């Protein structure tokens, strides 16, 4: 089992819809969770950090963490074509270095 | 605050050569990590430096090495380049506390011919 798993996609949603991106992790001791957005040919950009169970909202983005079920998700409301990118989930289990998933490709079509 | 700065942005080298990449972290950040990203393998961790010491190391051959200077700037060196070393090399910095998110530079695109 991979340490951090994401569906590679592509996930295709229409403009204005909610995009739901999911990530599962294997280590129950994981403490810190991050979502990064990476446009093609660019470097990853931090979108959200979440450390406690529940929801964390920032603008159109909501991160959801459920440690008991070992998953973290990212919801993007009112999706825009500019949200089309690869979304990377990263999980830190206390080694200073997060483990990254392979990413989910999101396509928002007009 | 200025972000993480990586130089050069692009490099073309020949097999067998060596290359040095540079990274300047965000001011005040003491941890610098290096990653290799390829379409087939995703983001792979190379190593992390904190206060001039290698604190964590990934599973790469000894041809990949790095160092960190007293001002937290870091360099990564790849010797005896192979075609498979063609990749985007990313540097990221954090304050160094466990659980801090990584802040990435723009990367260096290395092409080995």
């Amino acid at each position: 089992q991979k340490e951090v798993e994401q569906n590679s996609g592509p996930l295709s949603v229409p403009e204005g819809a909610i995009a739901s991106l999911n990530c599962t992790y294997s280590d129950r001791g994981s403490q810190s969770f991050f979502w990064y957005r990476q446009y093609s040919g660019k470097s990853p950009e931090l979108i959200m950090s979440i450390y406690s169970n529940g929801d964390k909202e920032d603008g159109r983005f909501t991160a959801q963490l459920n440690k008991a079920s070992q998953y973290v998700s990212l919801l993007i409301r009112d999706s825009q074509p500019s949200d089309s990118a690869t979304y990377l989930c990263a999980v830190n289990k206390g080694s200073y270095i997060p483990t990254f998933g392979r990413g989910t490709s999101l396509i928002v079509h007009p | 605050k200025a972000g993480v700065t990586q130089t050069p942005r692009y490099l073309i080298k020949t097999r067998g050569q060596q290359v040095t990449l540079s990274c300047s972290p965000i001011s005040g950040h003491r941890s610098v990590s290096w990653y290799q990203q390829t379409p087939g393998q995703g983001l792979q961790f190379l190593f992390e430096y904190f206060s001039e010491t290698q604190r964590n190391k990934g599973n790469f051959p000894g041809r990949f090495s790095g160092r960190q200077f007293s001002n937290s700037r870091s360099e990564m060196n790849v010797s005896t380049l192979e075609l498979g070393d063609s990749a985007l090399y990313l540097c990221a910095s954090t304050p160094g506390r466990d659980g801090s998110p990584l802040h990435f530079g723009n990367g260096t695109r290395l092409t080995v011919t």
Side-chain angles (χ1 to χ4, degrees), chain A residues 34 36 38 43 51 94 96 102, chain B residues 37 40 55-56 98-99 102 105:
Chain A
F34 311 98
Y36 289 82
Q38 185 173 26
S43 62
Y51 302 93
Y96 302 101
R102 297 289 295 271
Chain B
Q37 188 174 39
R55 186 164 64 174
N56 286 282
D98 189 22
L102 299 176

Side-chain angles (χ1 to χ4, degrees), chain A residues 97, chain B residues 33-35 43-48 56-60:
Chain A
I97 301 301
Chain B
S33 302
W34 289 90
Y35 288 81
L43 263 176
Q44 292 191 285
F45 171 68
L46 282 153
F47 28 68
E48 183 230 1
N56 286 282
K57 186 178 188 304
N59 190 27
F60 275 79

